[in-house]
Amino acid sequence: MIPVANSLDALIAGLCGRLEEPPDWKGMIALANQTLLTPALFASFERAGLLERVPGDVRDYLQFIRDCNRERNQRLRRQLHEAVAALNAVGIAPVLLKGAVPLFLSQAIPDRITSDIDLAVTARDEALAQTCLEVLGYVPLSHGRGLARDQDVGVLELRAHRTDGFSRPKLVRQNDLLVKIPPAQSRALHWIVHDQLKEGDYWRGRIDLRHMYDLAQLAESEPLDWAGLRATVVDKSVRNAVDTQLLALYRFFGTSIPRECAERPTIRFQHWRRVFASRHPILGAPLRLAGNVVWGARRFSRVRDLARHDPAYLARRIAIVLLNRNIRSKV
């Protein structure tokens, strides 16, 4: 019997167009479903000419999920085009973020599972953009910046665009629609900071394999200056988080990275901790518990500091939590 610990290796091999022998189909597909990489797995097998080696029931299941996701992405693309056209009509060219970029630029329907549509505008245009989208029927969600409509398959997230140390977003016109696309370094840093710092994966020892695969695909399709990206990060803990993600990219997908990322003992330990916890869920439980405690302490410290400078902050957060619980209890 193949141990569950091989599921991660089997999925990574599949995403790279290889089949481990003997294939751990059950573990591979379970992990692909969990990480939202099932359509990408089918696409990888198809590109590598491996579909004939995939059992019929497995192949049919993977193709079914791929086809369903393509239909959903077609609807998301129409939703994105409608939103961009409305914003263009009032003189706003939105910045596309994360999955919205391939959804807009790709000629074919992307195989990536996209959870929502992320757009950014300048701070001075944020109120106008929100009003414009509300005219289309979007309603703000109670728990954040997301906007939603009953007929859509995804939430639209609107935020203020923040400049970074890289070049400005490039203005792109396609099918009479005007958008701004951030440079590859900006998109890569956005994904890394989101997972490692905002979601706390660096401290919790977690791996968002879908976003890591996105980074690997981005590095293959566009020139990425990882050394230049690292040079823009001044804070030591942020630099460690970036290097930890880069080392995982190299070990999992063979992405070329600066040599110093793989040489530092702290980074090698962080990588080992994340991989061990992923490959051995039971044995890795103490590592995950310790990481969650550290992450919880950091979040508590941040909330305390914010509440100290803004006494109403804590009351607003409690109100939002209670409101969301009340909504979920009625669903």
Side-chain angles (χ1 to χ4, degrees):
M1 181 177 179
I2 300 173
V4 177
N6 287 342
S7 299
L8 178 64
D9 302 310
L11 177 56
I12 291 172
L15 293 171
C16 293
R18 304 189 310 271
L19 268 179
E20 288 198 336
E21 296 294 344
D24 176 16
W25 294 115
K26 184 177 180 180
M28 185 194 309
I29 293 174
L31 187 57
N33 289 339
Q34 179 185 339
T35 55
L36 304 181
L37 283 167
T38 310
L41 182 62
F42 179 86
S44 178
F45 285 154
E46 190 173 42
R47 286 193 301 269
L50 295 174
L51 288 179
E52 291 184 357
R53 296 174 55 187
V54 179
D57 57 340
V58 175
R59 183 173 61 248
D60 291 345
Y61 172 77
L62 292 176
Q63 185 168 3
F64 171 74
I65 298 299
R66 193 279 305 269
D67 292 345
C68 289
N69 183 60
R70 281 191 173 179
E71 181 180 346
R72 181 176 183 274
N73 280 347
Q74 283 180 329
R75 295 181 62 183
L76 282 173
R77 177 178 281 182
R78 289 195 293 269
Q79 183 184 349
L80 173 61
H81 286 177
E82 179 193 31
V84 170
L87 293 171
N88 286 173
V90 295
I92 299 174
V95 179
L96 305 189
L97 304 174
K98 298 194 292 186
V101 175
L103 199 62
F104 185 86
L105 292 180
S106 178
Q107 295 300 317
I109 300 297
D111 289 308
R112 182 186 192 272
I113 292 181
T114 301
S115 55
D116 48 36
I117 297 173
D118 292 276
L119 304 178
V121 297
T122 61
R124 68 174 181 274
D125 288 335
E126 194 171 8
L128 176 60
Q130 175 131 346
T131 300
C132 178
L133 294 172
E134 288 175 357
V135 169
L136 293 178
Y138 284 96
V139 177
L141 297 175
S142 61
H143 61 271
R145 294 178 177 171
L147 302 164
R149 300 183 301 188
D150 291 339
Q151 69 266 33
D152 293 327
V153 295
V155 171
L156 193 152
E157 289 199 18
L158 180 69
R159 66 193 68 186
H161 180 249
R162 295 177 176 83
T163 58
D164 52 33
F166 306 111
S167 58
R168 293 181 178 180
K170 180 181 178 182
L171 204 59
V172 175
R173 183 181 293 276
Q174 185 168 285
N175 299 324
D176 295 325
L177 298 175
L178 198 61
V179 300
K180 295 176 182 177
I181 306 294
Q185 269 90 339
S186 292
R187 285 143 60 194
L189 185 61
H190 186 175
W191 260 316
I192 294 173
V193 170
H194 176 274
D195 291 349
Q196 294 289 81
L197 303 178
K198 184 178 178 181
E199 297 297 323
D201 289 359
Y202 176 71
W203 293 279
R204 300 164 76 180
R206 301 193 317 175
I207 299 174
D208 189 321
L209 194 60
R210 181 174 65 124
H211 284 170
M212 192 172 294
Y213 184 63
D214 288 334
L215 285 171
Q217 295 289 97
L218 179 62
E220 283 187 10
S221 62
E222 300 188 39
L224 267 169
D225 179 11
W226 293 120
L229 184 150
R230 294 176 74 247
T232 65
V233 179
V234 179
D235 185 86
K236 184 178 179 181
S237 62
V238 177
R239 172 75 64 84
N240 287 343
V242 170
D243 285 353
T244 299
Q245 195 78 326
L246 293 186
L247 180 56
L249 270 178
Y250 167 71
R251 294 283 178 85
F252 288 174
F253 300 109
T255 303
S256 179
I257 63 172
R259 187 176 62 182
E260 54 267 29
C261 295
E263 292 179 341
R264 298 167 57 201
T266 298
I267 305 308
R268 292 204 302 268
F269 171 76
Q270 289 286 11
H271 176 73
W272 171 86
R273 181 173 71 100
R274 299 170 77 198
V275 173
F276 183 85
S278 298
R279 286 177 175 161
H280 307 282
I282 297 177
L283 294 177
L287 291 174
R288 289 195 302 274
L289 177 60
N292 285 330
V293 169
V294 173
W295 172 237
R298 290 183 66 89
R299 293 192 67 185
F300 175 78
S301 176
R302 182 174 180 272
V303 170
R304 183 188 59 192
D305 291 342
L306 288 171
R308 183 179 301 163
H309 293 90
D310 180 7
Y313 173 81
L314 190 57
R316 291 197 302 270
R317 294 302 305 169
I318 293 174
I320 291 173
V321 171
L322 292 176
L323 178 60
N324 289 336
R325 285 183 178 179
N326 184 49
I327 292 172
R328 285 195 296 267
S329 68
K330 294 180 179 179
V331 174

